[in-house]
Structure formats: C-alpha cells, structure tokens
Amino acid sequence: MARKLAALAHPVRLRLLRDLGAAGSCCVKDMVGRIGLAQSTVSQHLKVLVDAELVSFRTDRQSSRYTVNSDALRELAAIIGTTLDRCCAGASCTGAGRDELTDYNRTGPAAADPAGHKDI
C-alpha cells in the first residue's frame, strides 16, 4: 500500500492517472501532448505508476499503451476508507500499543525502543 500511495504523491502522476482514466488507453506520445512534459519525464512517471501496479501497459506494435488499473485503485480506495473509518471512529487506543506511543512521544525513539532500532 505504501508503494501505491508514494506513486500517487506526485502531482504529475495524479494528472496522468486522471488523463488515462478519461481516455481509457494512451501511448506515451499521447500523454506527452496532454501533459506538456518531455517524453522521458512522462515515461519515468508512468514507470512509477506501473511499478506500483496502478497502471498497466501492453505493447502495441512499436509503442506501449497504458491503461489505469481500476481494480487496484478501487482496492487502494477501500483500504484508505477503512483506515480512515478506524482512525476517525472516536475510539481511543488501548493496551501496550498506546503505552509504547506515549513513551515514544514523551522521550523519543531511544526510550521507546531500548534496542536502539531506528524508525523506518
């Protein structure tokens, strides 16, 4: 999920997704014309979206056609929705997890993790 969210964290990739969704399927040349960026830049952004499995591609003669992976976007939206529902439900954290977070906030990572592991 983090890889998918990271792929969506750039405004150009969001625009590519919107444009692809509206068009159905495009090649890089079509996207370059719509976005107004260099072909290499558009290709790099599309690669990130493909690697995150938010966009799929197929070869079409000498070019590649890109399409939004609607199922992956719906799944991501559902996960985000579930996460927000849980976070915003008004229930407070209980148990050891809450104590660990309180310790972390009070004294920093060294006290919260005696082994000295760094945050990822």
PDB file of all heavy atoms in Angstrom, residues 48-79:
ATOM      1  N   VAL A  48       6.735   4.563 -12.678  1.00  0.00           N
ATOM      2  CA  VAL A  48       6.426   4.522 -11.249  1.00  0.00           C
ATOM      3  C   VAL A  48       5.004   3.998 -11.039  1.00  0.00           C
ATOM      4  O   VAL A  48       4.755   3.159 -10.166  1.00  0.00           O
ATOM      5  CB  VAL A  48       6.601   5.919 -10.598  1.00  0.00           C
ATOM      6  CG1 VAL A  48       6.080   5.938  -9.166  1.00  0.00           C
ATOM      7  CG2 VAL A  48       8.061   6.341 -10.640  1.00  0.00           C
ATOM      8  N   LEU A  49       4.068   4.470 -11.852  1.00  0.00           N
ATOM      9  CA  LEU A  49       2.680   4.021 -11.737  1.00  0.00           C
ATOM     10  C   LEU A  49       2.532   2.545 -12.105  1.00  0.00           C
ATOM     11  O   LEU A  49       1.770   1.815 -11.478  1.00  0.00           O
ATOM     12  CB  LEU A  49       1.770   4.888 -12.616  1.00  0.00           C
ATOM     13  CG  LEU A  49       1.618   6.339 -12.155  1.00  0.00           C
ATOM     14  CD1 LEU A  49       0.941   7.175 -13.224  1.00  0.00           C
ATOM     15  CD2 LEU A  49       0.849   6.404 -10.843  1.00  0.00           C
ATOM     16  N   VAL A  50       3.274   2.101 -13.105  1.00  0.00           N
ATOM     17  CA  VAL A  50       3.253   0.683 -13.499  1.00  0.00           C
ATOM     18  C   VAL A  50       3.865  -0.169 -12.395  1.00  0.00           C
ATOM     19  O   VAL A  50       3.308  -1.209 -12.014  1.00  0.00           O
ATOM     20  CB  VAL A  50       3.975   0.468 -14.852  1.00  0.00           C
ATOM     21  CG1 VAL A  50       4.207  -1.009 -15.123  1.00  0.00           C
ATOM     22  CG2 VAL A  50       3.180   1.100 -15.991  1.00  0.00           C
ATOM     23  N   ASP A  51       5.009   0.260 -11.852  1.00  0.00           N
ATOM     24  CA  ASP A  51       5.671  -0.489 -10.777  1.00  0.00           C
ATOM     25  C   ASP A  51       4.778  -0.604  -9.541  1.00  0.00           C
ATOM     26  O   ASP A  51       4.835  -1.598  -8.817  1.00  0.00           O
ATOM     27  CB  ASP A  51       7.002   0.149 -10.396  1.00  0.00           C
ATOM     28  CG  ASP A  51       8.072  -0.035 -11.465  1.00  0.00           C
ATOM     29  OD1 ASP A  51       7.875  -0.867 -12.380  1.00  0.00           O
ATOM     30  OD2 ASP A  51       9.105   0.658 -11.376  1.00  0.00           O
ATOM     31  N   ALA A  52       3.948   0.411  -9.302  1.00  0.00           N
ATOM     32  CA  ALA A  52       3.023   0.400  -8.169  1.00  0.00           C
ATOM     33  C   ALA A  52       1.732  -0.352  -8.516  1.00  0.00           C
ATOM     34  O   ALA A  52       0.840  -0.456  -7.683  1.00  0.00           O
ATOM     35  CB  ALA A  52       2.699   1.822  -7.741  1.00  0.00           C
ATOM     36  N   GLU A  53       1.660  -0.853  -9.728  1.00  0.00           N
ATOM     37  CA  GLU A  53       0.518  -1.624 -10.223  1.00  0.00           C
ATOM     38  C   GLU A  53      -0.769  -0.816 -10.289  1.00  0.00           C
ATOM     39  O   GLU A  53      -1.871  -1.353 -10.216  1.00  0.00           O
ATOM     40  CB  GLU A  53       0.325  -2.891  -9.389  1.00  0.00           C
ATOM     41  CG  GLU A  53       1.531  -3.806  -9.442  1.00  0.00           C
ATOM     42  CD  GLU A  53       1.427  -4.997  -8.510  1.00  0.00           C
ATOM     43  OE1 GLU A  53       0.480  -5.055  -7.684  1.00  0.00           O
ATOM     44  OE2 GLU A  53       2.289  -5.882  -8.603  1.00  0.00           O
ATOM     45  N   LEU A  54      -0.641   0.510 -10.429  1.00  0.00           N
ATOM     46  CA  LEU A  54      -1.805   1.369 -10.591  1.00  0.00           C
ATOM     47  C   LEU A  54      -2.139   1.583 -12.061  1.00  0.00           C
ATOM     48  O   LEU A  54      -3.246   1.986 -12.399  1.00  0.00           O
ATOM     49  CB  LEU A  54      -1.562   2.720  -9.914  1.00  0.00           C
ATOM     50  CG  LEU A  54      -1.376   2.642  -8.401  1.00  0.00           C
ATOM     51  CD1 LEU A  54      -0.966   3.995  -7.850  1.00  0.00           C
ATOM     52  CD2 LEU A  54      -2.651   2.130  -7.733  1.00  0.00           C
ATOM     53  N   VAL A  55      -1.165   1.323 -12.913  1.00  0.00           N
ATOM     54  CA  VAL A  55      -1.322   1.434 -14.361  1.00  0.00           C
ATOM     55  C   VAL A  55      -0.745   0.169 -14.980  1.00  0.00           C
ATOM     56  O   VAL A  55       0.269  -0.344 -14.512  1.00  0.00           O
ATOM     57  CB  VAL A  55      -0.585   2.696 -14.904  1.00  0.00           C
ATOM     58  CG1 VAL A  55      -0.500   2.702 -16.410  1.00  0.00           C
ATOM     59  CG2 VAL A  55      -1.261   3.964 -14.395  1.00  0.00           C
ATOM     60  N   SER A  56      -1.400  -0.312 -16.015  1.00  0.00           N
ATOM     61  CA  SER A  56      -0.866  -1.458 -16.748  1.00  0.00           C
ATOM     62  C   SER A  56      -0.528  -1.005 -18.167  1.00  0.00           C
ATOM     63  O   SER A  56      -0.991   0.036 -18.622  1.00  0.00           O
ATOM     64  CB  SER A  56      -1.873  -2.611 -16.759  1.00  0.00           C
ATOM     65  OG  SER A  56      -3.092  -2.195 -17.320  1.00  0.00           O
ATOM     66  N   PHE A  57       0.294  -1.792 -18.833  1.00  0.00           N
ATOM     67  CA  PHE A  57       0.618  -1.452 -20.213  1.00  0.00           C
ATOM     68  C   PHE A  57       0.703  -2.720 -21.041  1.00  0.00           C
ATOM     69  O   PHE A  57       0.889  -3.815 -20.526  1.00  0.00           O
ATOM     70  CB  PHE A  57       1.928  -0.650 -20.298  1.00  0.00           C
ATOM     71  CG  PHE A  57       3.172  -1.471 -20.129  1.00  0.00           C
ATOM     72  CD1 PHE A  57       3.886  -1.906 -21.231  1.00  0.00           C
ATOM     73  CD2 PHE A  57       3.631  -1.816 -18.871  1.00  0.00           C
ATOM     74  CE1 PHE A  57       5.032  -2.670 -21.078  1.00  0.00           C
ATOM     75  CE2 PHE A  57       4.761  -2.571 -18.701  1.00  0.00           C
ATOM     76  CZ  PHE A  57       5.466  -2.998 -19.810  1.00  0.00           C
ATOM     77  N   ARG A  58       0.506  -2.524 -22.303  1.00  0.00           N
ATOM     78  CA  ARG A  58       0.656  -3.618 -23.271  1.00  0.00           C
ATOM     79  C   ARG A  58       1.335  -3.042 -24.500  1.00  0.00           C
ATOM     80  O   ARG A  58       1.170  -1.866 -24.834  1.00  0.00           O
ATOM     81  CB  ARG A  58      -0.688  -4.248 -23.621  1.00  0.00           C
ATOM     82  CG  ARG A  58      -1.654  -3.322 -24.318  1.00  0.00           C
ATOM     83  CD  ARG A  58      -2.968  -3.998 -24.670  1.00  0.00           C
ATOM     84  NE  ARG A  58      -3.965  -3.032 -25.068  1.00  0.00           N
ATOM     85  CZ  ARG A  58      -4.029  -2.457 -26.265  1.00  0.00           C
ATOM     86  NH1 ARG A  58      -3.137  -2.739 -27.171  1.00  0.00           N
ATOM     87  NH2 ARG A  58      -4.960  -1.570 -26.546  1.00  0.00           N
ATOM     88  N   THR A  59       2.128  -3.856 -25.133  1.00  0.00           N
ATOM     89  CA  THR A  59       2.794  -3.396 -26.350  1.00  0.00           C
ATOM     90  C   THR A  59       1.808  -3.426 -27.505  1.00  0.00           C
ATOM     91  O   THR A  59       0.971  -4.323 -27.615  1.00  0.00           O
ATOM     92  CB  THR A  59       4.023  -4.263 -26.670  1.00  0.00           C
ATOM     93  OG1 THR A  59       3.622  -5.618 -26.745  1.00  0.00           O
ATOM     94  CG2 THR A  59       5.096  -4.097 -25.611  1.00  0.00           C
ATOM     95  N   ASP A  60       1.898  -2.406 -28.324  1.00  0.00           N
ATOM     96  CA  ASP A  60       1.036  -2.253 -29.484  1.00  0.00           C
ATOM     97  C   ASP A  60       1.930  -1.839 -30.648  1.00  0.00           C
ATOM     98  O   ASP A  60       2.239  -0.667 -30.799  1.00  0.00           O
ATOM     99  CB  ASP A  60      -0.042  -1.203 -29.206  1.00  0.00           C
ATOM    100  CG  ASP A  60      -1.043  -1.058 -30.341  1.00  0.00           C
ATOM    101  OD1 ASP A  60      -1.173  -1.988 -31.160  1.00  0.00           O
ATOM    102  OD2 ASP A  60      -1.704   0.006 -30.384  1.00  0.00           O
ATOM    103  N   ARG A  61       2.368  -2.817 -31.395  1.00  0.00           N
ATOM    104  CA  ARG A  61       3.355  -2.628 -32.459  1.00  0.00           C
ATOM    105  C   ARG A  61       4.634  -2.034 -31.874  1.00  0.00           C
ATOM    106  O   ARG A  61       5.277  -2.673 -31.071  1.00  0.00           O
ATOM    107  CB  ARG A  61       2.776  -1.804 -33.591  1.00  0.00           C
ATOM    108  CG  ARG A  61       1.696  -2.554 -34.348  1.00  0.00           C
ATOM    109  CD  ARG A  61       1.166  -1.768 -35.525  1.00  0.00           C
ATOM    110  NE  ARG A  61      -0.287  -1.689 -35.361  1.00  0.00           N
ATOM    111  CZ  ARG A  61      -0.986  -0.597 -35.478  1.00  0.00           C
ATOM    112  NH1 ARG A  61      -0.416   0.536 -35.787  1.00  0.00           N
ATOM    113  NH2 ARG A  61      -2.280  -0.620 -35.300  1.00  0.00           N
ATOM    114  N   GLN A  62       4.956  -0.802 -32.240  1.00  0.00           N
ATOM    115  CA  GLN A  62       6.216  -0.207 -31.772  1.00  0.00           C
ATOM    116  C   GLN A  62       6.040   0.712 -30.567  1.00  0.00           C
ATOM    117  O   GLN A  62       6.986   1.379 -30.158  1.00  0.00           O
ATOM    118  CB  GLN A  62       6.886   0.560 -32.906  1.00  0.00           C
ATOM    119  CG  GLN A  62       7.357  -0.343 -34.018  1.00  0.00           C
ATOM    120  CD  GLN A  62       8.084   0.428 -35.109  1.00  0.00           C
ATOM    121  OE1 GLN A  62       8.105   1.651 -35.115  1.00  0.00           O
ATOM    122  NE2 GLN A  62       8.701  -0.292 -36.034  1.00  0.00           N
ATOM    123  N   SER A  63       4.857   0.747 -30.002  1.00  0.00           N
ATOM    124  CA  SER A  63       4.643   1.590 -28.825  1.00  0.00           C
ATOM    125  C   SER A  63       3.977   0.764 -27.731  1.00  0.00           C
ATOM    126  O   SER A  63       3.611  -0.383 -27.927  1.00  0.00           O
ATOM    127  CB  SER A  63       3.775   2.804 -29.190  1.00  0.00           C
ATOM    128  OG  SER A  63       2.483   2.384 -29.579  1.00  0.00           O
ATOM    129  N   SER A  64       3.834   1.372 -26.580  1.00  0.00           N
ATOM    130  CA  SER A  64       3.147   0.744 -25.459  1.00  0.00           C
ATOM    131  C   SER A  64       1.905   1.553 -25.150  1.00  0.00           C
ATOM    132  O   SER A  64       1.925   2.780 -25.185  1.00  0.00           O
ATOM    133  CB  SER A  64       4.046   0.714 -24.224  1.00  0.00           C
ATOM    134  OG  SER A  64       5.169  -0.088 -24.456  1.00  0.00           O
ATOM    135  N   ARG A  65       0.830   0.867 -24.845  1.00  0.00           N
ATOM    136  CA  ARG A  65      -0.426   1.525 -24.470  1.00  0.00           C
ATOM    137  C   ARG A  65      -0.625   1.342 -22.972  1.00  0.00           C
ATOM    138  O   ARG A  65      -0.500   0.244 -22.450  1.00  0.00           O
ATOM    139  CB  ARG A  65      -1.582   0.957 -25.250  1.00  0.00           C
ATOM    140  CG  ARG A  65      -1.354   1.184 -26.736  1.00  0.00           C
ATOM    141  CD  ARG A  65      -2.564   1.357 -27.568  1.00  0.00           C
ATOM    142  NE  ARG A  65      -3.543   2.334 -27.193  1.00  0.00           N
ATOM    143  CZ  ARG A  65      -3.554   3.600 -27.620  1.00  0.00           C
ATOM    144  NH1 ARG A  65      -2.582   4.069 -28.380  1.00  0.00           N
ATOM    145  NH2 ARG A  65      -4.540   4.401 -27.290  1.00  0.00           N
ATOM    146  N   TYR A  66      -0.919   2.439 -22.310  1.00  0.00           N
ATOM    147  CA  TYR A  66      -1.091   2.455 -20.865  1.00  0.00           C
ATOM    148  C   TYR A  66      -2.566   2.588 -20.516  1.00  0.00           C
ATOM    149  O   TYR A  66      -3.308   3.313 -21.177  1.00  0.00           O
ATOM    150  CB  TYR A  66      -0.298   3.614 -20.249  1.00  0.00           C
ATOM    151  CG  TYR A  66       1.190   3.433 -20.401  1.00  0.00           C
ATOM    152  CD1 TYR A  66       1.849   3.835 -21.549  1.00  0.00           C
ATOM    153  CD2 TYR A  66       1.928   2.831 -19.388  1.00  0.00           C
ATOM    154  CE1 TYR A  66       3.213   3.653 -21.692  1.00  0.00           C
ATOM    155  CE2 TYR A  66       3.295   2.645 -19.523  1.00  0.00           C
ATOM    156  CZ  TYR A  66       3.924   3.057 -20.682  1.00  0.00           C
ATOM    157  OH  TYR A  66       5.279   2.864 -20.816  1.00  0.00           O
ATOM    158  N   THR A  67      -2.964   1.882 -19.456  1.00  0.00           N
ATOM    159  CA  THR A  67      -4.349   1.881 -19.004  1.00  0.00           C
ATOM    160  C   THR A  67      -4.366   1.905 -17.479  1.00  0.00           C
ATOM    161  O   THR A  67      -3.518   1.270 -16.835  1.00  0.00           O
ATOM    162  CB  THR A  67      -5.068   0.592 -19.478  1.00  0.00           C
ATOM    163  OG1 THR A  67      -4.883   0.454 -20.878  1.00  0.00           O
ATOM    164  CG2 THR A  67      -6.546   0.628 -19.166  1.00  0.00           C
ATOM    165  N   VAL A  68      -5.316   2.628 -16.913  1.00  0.00           N
ATOM    166  CA  VAL A  68      -5.468   2.655 -15.457  1.00  0.00           C
ATOM    167  C   VAL A  68      -5.912   1.278 -14.982  1.00  0.00           C
ATOM    168  O   VAL A  68      -6.787   0.653 -15.577  1.00  0.00           O
ATOM    169  CB  VAL A  68      -6.507   3.725 -15.040  1.00  0.00           C
ATOM    170  CG1 VAL A  68      -6.849   3.612 -13.566  1.00  0.00           C
ATOM    171  CG2 VAL A  68      -6.008   5.112 -15.367  1.00  0.00           C
ATOM    172  N   ASN A  69      -5.304   0.810 -13.899  1.00  0.00           N
ATOM    173  CA  ASN A  69      -5.704  -0.438 -13.259  1.00  0.00           C
ATOM    174  C   ASN A  69      -6.803  -0.094 -12.255  1.00  0.00           C
ATOM    175  O   ASN A  69      -6.533   0.174 -11.086  1.00  0.00           O
ATOM    176  CB  ASN A  69      -4.509  -1.105 -12.583  1.00  0.00           C
ATOM    177  CG  ASN A  69      -4.848  -2.436 -11.966  1.00  0.00           C
ATOM    178  OD1 ASN A  69      -6.010  -2.764 -11.759  1.00  0.00           O
ATOM    179  ND2 ASN A  69      -3.818  -3.199 -11.647  1.00  0.00           N
ATOM    180  N   SER A  70      -8.035  -0.090 -12.724  1.00  0.00           N
ATOM    181  CA  SER A  70      -9.175   0.327 -11.903  1.00  0.00           C
ATOM    182  C   SER A  70      -9.333  -0.532 -10.658  1.00  0.00           C
ATOM    183  O   SER A  70      -9.667  -0.023  -9.583  1.00  0.00           O
ATOM    184  CB  SER A  70     -10.468   0.268 -12.720  1.00  0.00           C
ATOM    185  OG  SER A  70     -10.373   1.097 -13.841  1.00  0.00           O
ATOM    186  N   ASP A  71      -9.099  -1.828 -10.791  1.00  0.00           N
ATOM    187  CA  ASP A  71      -9.232  -2.717  -9.630  1.00  0.00           C
ATOM    188  C   ASP A  71      -8.254  -2.337  -8.526  1.00  0.00           C
ATOM    189  O   ASP A  71      -8.620  -2.304  -7.346  1.00  0.00           O
ATOM    190  CB  ASP A  71      -9.020  -4.179 -10.037  1.00  0.00           C
ATOM    191  CG  ASP A  71     -10.142  -4.702 -10.916  1.00  0.00           C
ATOM    192  OD1 ASP A  71     -11.256  -4.133 -10.886  1.00  0.00           O
ATOM    193  OD2 ASP A  71      -9.896  -5.679 -11.648  1.00  0.00           O
ATOM    194  N   ALA A  72      -7.016  -2.044  -8.895  1.00  0.00           N
ATOM    195  CA  ALA A  72      -6.010  -1.663  -7.894  1.00  0.00           C
ATOM    196  C   ALA A  72      -6.378  -0.339  -7.230  1.00  0.00           C
ATOM    197  O   ALA A  72      -6.207  -0.181  -6.019  1.00  0.00           O
ATOM    198  CB  ALA A  72      -4.628  -1.569  -8.536  1.00  0.00           C
ATOM    199  N   LEU A  73      -6.893   0.611  -8.004  1.00  0.00           N
ATOM    200  CA  LEU A  73      -7.291   1.901  -7.426  1.00  0.00           C
ATOM    201  C   LEU A  73      -8.489   1.736  -6.500  1.00  0.00           C
ATOM    202  O   LEU A  73      -8.539   2.352  -5.431  1.00  0.00           O
ATOM    203  CB  LEU A  73      -7.604   2.909  -8.525  1.00  0.00           C
ATOM    204  CG  LEU A  73      -6.382   3.526  -9.190  1.00  0.00           C
ATOM    205  CD1 LEU A  73      -6.796   4.366 -10.397  1.00  0.00           C
ATOM    206  CD2 LEU A  73      -5.595   4.358  -8.204  1.00  0.00           C
ATOM    207  N   ARG A  74      -9.448   0.892  -6.884  1.00  0.00           N
ATOM    208  CA  ARG A  74     -10.599   0.645  -6.011  1.00  0.00           C
ATOM    209  C   ARG A  74     -10.161  -0.019  -4.708  1.00  0.00           C
ATOM    210  O   ARG A  74     -10.643   0.322  -3.626  1.00  0.00           O
ATOM    211  CB  ARG A  74     -11.627  -0.234  -6.722  1.00  0.00           C
ATOM    212  CG  ARG A  74     -12.495   0.519  -7.675  1.00  0.00           C
ATOM    213  CD  ARG A  74     -13.652  -0.347  -8.186  1.00  0.00           C
ATOM    214  NE  ARG A  74     -14.139   0.204  -9.419  1.00  0.00           N
ATOM    215  CZ  ARG A  74     -13.797  -0.198 -10.637  1.00  0.00           C
ATOM    216  NH1 ARG A  74     -12.977  -1.214 -10.797  1.00  0.00           N
ATOM    217  NH2 ARG A  74     -14.281   0.396 -11.710  1.00  0.00           N
ATOM    218  N   GLU A  75      -9.244  -0.982  -4.814  1.00  0.00           N
ATOM    219  CA  GLU A  75      -8.737  -1.661  -3.622  1.00  0.00           C
ATOM    220  C   GLU A  75      -8.019  -0.675  -2.704  1.00  0.00           C
ATOM    221  O   GLU A  75      -8.221  -0.682  -1.485  1.00  0.00           O
ATOM    222  CB  GLU A  75      -7.788  -2.790  -4.017  1.00  0.00           C
ATOM    223  CG  GLU A  75      -7.228  -3.558  -2.847  1.00  0.00           C
ATOM    224  CD  GLU A  75      -6.242  -4.643  -3.272  1.00  0.00           C
ATOM    225  OE1 GLU A  75      -6.152  -4.965  -4.468  1.00  0.00           O
ATOM    226  OE2 GLU A  75      -5.552  -5.160  -2.384  1.00  0.00           O
ATOM    227  N   LEU A  76      -7.210   0.194  -3.291  1.00  0.00           N
ATOM    228  CA  LEU A  76      -6.496   1.199  -2.503  1.00  0.00           C
ATOM    229  C   LEU A  76      -7.485   2.154  -1.841  1.00  0.00           C
ATOM    230  O   LEU A  76      -7.338   2.484  -0.658  1.00  0.00           O
ATOM    231  CB  LEU A  76      -5.512   1.968  -3.389  1.00  0.00           C
ATOM    232  CG  LEU A  76      -4.661   3.019  -2.706  1.00  0.00           C
ATOM    233  CD1 LEU A  76      -3.796   2.402  -1.615  1.00  0.00           C
ATOM    234  CD2 LEU A  76      -3.786   3.726  -3.736  1.00  0.00           C
ATOM    235  N   ALA A  77      -8.499   2.577  -2.572  1.00  0.00           N
ATOM    236  CA  ALA A  77      -9.522   3.468  -2.010  1.00  0.00           C
ATOM    237  C   ALA A  77     -10.245   2.800  -0.849  1.00  0.00           C
ATOM    238  O   ALA A  77     -10.521   3.435   0.176  1.00  0.00           O
ATOM    239  CB  ALA A  77     -10.510   3.883  -3.092  1.00  0.00           C
ATOM    240  N   ALA A  78     -10.531   1.500  -0.975  1.00  0.00           N
ATOM    241  CA  ALA A  78     -11.196   0.768   0.101  1.00  0.00           C
ATOM    242  C   ALA A  78     -10.318   0.694   1.341  1.00  0.00           C
ATOM    243  O   ALA A  78     -10.790   0.872   2.469  1.00  0.00           O
ATOM    244  CB  ALA A  78     -11.585  -0.633  -0.373  1.00  0.00           C
ATOM    245  N   ILE A  79      -9.028   0.436   1.145  1.00  0.00           N
ATOM    246  CA  ILE A  79      -8.097   0.362   2.270  1.00  0.00           C
ATOM    247  C   ILE A  79      -7.994   1.718   2.961  1.00  0.00           C
ATOM    248  O   ILE A  79      -8.022   1.806   4.189  1.00  0.00           O
ATOM    249  CB  ILE A  79      -6.711  -0.128   1.802  1.00  0.00           C
ATOM    250  CG1 ILE A  79      -6.793  -1.596   1.391  1.00  0.00           C
ATOM    251  CG2 ILE A  79      -5.659   0.070   2.898  1.00  0.00           C
ATOM    252  CD1 ILE A  79      -5.560  -2.108   0.668  1.00  0.00           C
TER     253      ILE A  79
END
